[in-house]
Amino acid sequence: MTLSELRYIVALARHGHFGRAAEATFVAQPTLSVAVRKLEEELGVTLFERGTAAATPTPVGELVVAQAQRVLEGVEAIDELAAAARDPLAEPLRLGAIYTVGPYLLPHLVPALNKRAPELGLVVEEGYTHDLTERLKRGALDVIVVSLPFEVPRLITRPLYDEPFMVVVPASHPWSQRGAVARSELGEETVLLLSDGHCFRDQVLAHCPECQPATGQPVGMARTIESGSLETIRYMVASGLGVTVMPCTAVGGELFNRRLLTQRRFAETAPTRRIALAWRESFPRPEAVDALAAAVGDCPLTCIAPVCS
């Protein structure tokens, strides 16, 4: 049994196809197929059911793949321990951020972190919470920025800040002449929401069920329009297609907003979300996490409330 064989079965379970698994592990498909068959013969069990277009782990195969993933994480941890012993702030940090945080935090975070830890480079990617979590668990990412609650076995979280929600309307909307908007009033408007898969959508609906009208709502009352990004929603609001709710860091204060958009607070206590860092228990560079958290604290995000840790 070799580490390469373990990598092959993990990749095959993930992709469900010999060709795609071979591409992901940078080997020829026959090489991967032979290695998987060799491991099955050595163990005396069938790890995958082969179909014409797919390979599916058997029940015992799922158990073996899960253990193989843990072994590979342990091997990577050995490399990370050695790197951390040399200098925990010298190796690049692989950072993931959810879509509704990344575009608004990262432009401030990168220079702030560079000032605090010049040798600690960032490799950044954005994604959905679920996808980032899986990549973090596999070791493809070191730290991710998520919204709480976030409870995943073997992952640690560190709260960073609380972020209030704001109502965003076209500058020509009657609400732009007022200081605040009641949640119940949103039920009378066309509300633009993020599409399924975004945790911020769920948070908005949890705080403001009026934002999603019931099925069969009479014509002329509230309706919703969905989009895949806050930036697209921003332009839709500016075009007069409806109103929306955004995290305060996404509202912005640039000229585009001042001319075409107006932000208003909630009349009641504003809904909020708590943003946090998450990383593996086994991650051997806590100094890098500390530097990252400190750099977030240095970011000029005036609308948030830092969480004291």
Side-chain angles (χ1 to χ4, degrees), residues 271-288:
T272 63
R273 65 176 180 175
R274 177 162 289 187
I275 302 302
L277 297 178
W279 65 96
R280 297 182 303 279
E281 290 179 346
S282 59
F283 185 57
R285 300 164 61 197
E287 298 88 349

Side-chain angles (χ1 to χ4, degrees), residues 4 11 38 98 125 146 165 173 184 188 192 205 211-212 215 283 290 297 303:
S4 293
K38 175 178 174 293
I98 55 176
E125 66 177 75
V146 294
F165 301 169
H173 196 284
S184 58
E188 303 169 3
L192 308 180
L205 294 178
C211 292
Q212 185 173 33
T215 303
F283 185 57
D290 291 341
C303 67

Side-chain angles (χ1 to χ4, degrees), residues 56-76:
T56 306
T58 62
V60 68
E62 291 181 353
L63 297 175
V64 172
V65 168
Q67 184 61 38
Q69 178 64 53
R70 288 192 286 271
V71 170
L72 294 174
E73 289 177 5
V75 171
E76 183 170 354

Side-chain angles (χ1 to χ4, degrees), residues 246-268:
M246 286 189 173
C248 72
T249 56
V251 172
E254 65 273 15
L255 180 62
F256 170 81
N257 282 340
R258 291 198 298 270
R259 289 189 295 107
L260 301 176
L261 298 176
T262 301
Q263 63 188 62
R264 289 293 176 261
R265 60 180 176 83
F266 282 88
E268 310 89 346

Side-chain angles (χ1 to χ4, degrees), residues 17-197:
H17 186 275
F18 279 91
R20 290 193 293 272
E23 291 178 4
T25 51
F26 306 102
V27 297
Q29 181 173 333
T31 299
L32 185 139
S33 299
V34 169
V36 172
R37 178 64 69 186
K38 175 178 174 293
L39 182 58
E40 288 179 321
E41 292 174 353
E42 179 180 345
L43 296 176
V45 294
T46 299
L47 300 177
F48 293 90
E49 295 180 6
R50 276 81 163 169
T52 55
T56 306
T58 62
V60 68
E62 291 181 353
L63 297 175
V64 172
V65 168
Q67 184 61 38
Q69 178 64 53
R70 288 192 286 271
V71 170
L72 294 174
E73 289 177 5
V75 171
E76 183 170 354
I78 292 174
D79 291 334
E80 292 176 344
L81 283 169
R86 293 191 296 269
D87 186 347
L89 300 182
E91 296 291 324
L93 190 70
R94 298 167 297 178
L95 176 68
I98 55 176
Y99 287 118
T100 57
V101 170
Y104 316 107
L105 174 62
L106 293 175
H108 304 292
L109 177 60
V110 172
L113 183 62
N114 185 60
K115 186 175 181 180
R116 277 190 172 266
E119 301 301 320
L120 183 62
L122 274 184
V123 179
V124 178
E125 66 177 75
E126 294 178 304
Y128 294 106
T129 300
H130 174 75
D131 296 333
L132 294 177
T133 302
E134 289 305 309
R135 289 180 58 73
L136 179 64
K137 290 162 61 178
R138 297 200 307 264
L141 292 171
D142 299 320
V143 186
I144 60 176
V145 183
V146 294
S147 180
L148 300 182
F150 182 84
E151 296 182 4
V152 181
R154 301 168 59 204
L155 297 184
I156 301 172
T157 58
R158 177 173 177 171
L160 296 172
Y161 58 83
D162 291 329
E163 179 177 20
F165 301 169
M166 304 288 291
V167 179
V168 181
V169 303
S172 58
H173 196 284
W175 290 353
S176 65
Q177 305 303 313
R178 295 163 43 182
V181 177
R183 296 183 199 182
S184 58
E185 293 181 283
L186 290 168
E188 303 169 3
E189 296 285 327
T190 296
V191 182
L192 308 180
L193 295 173
L194 287 172
S195 53
D196 284 333

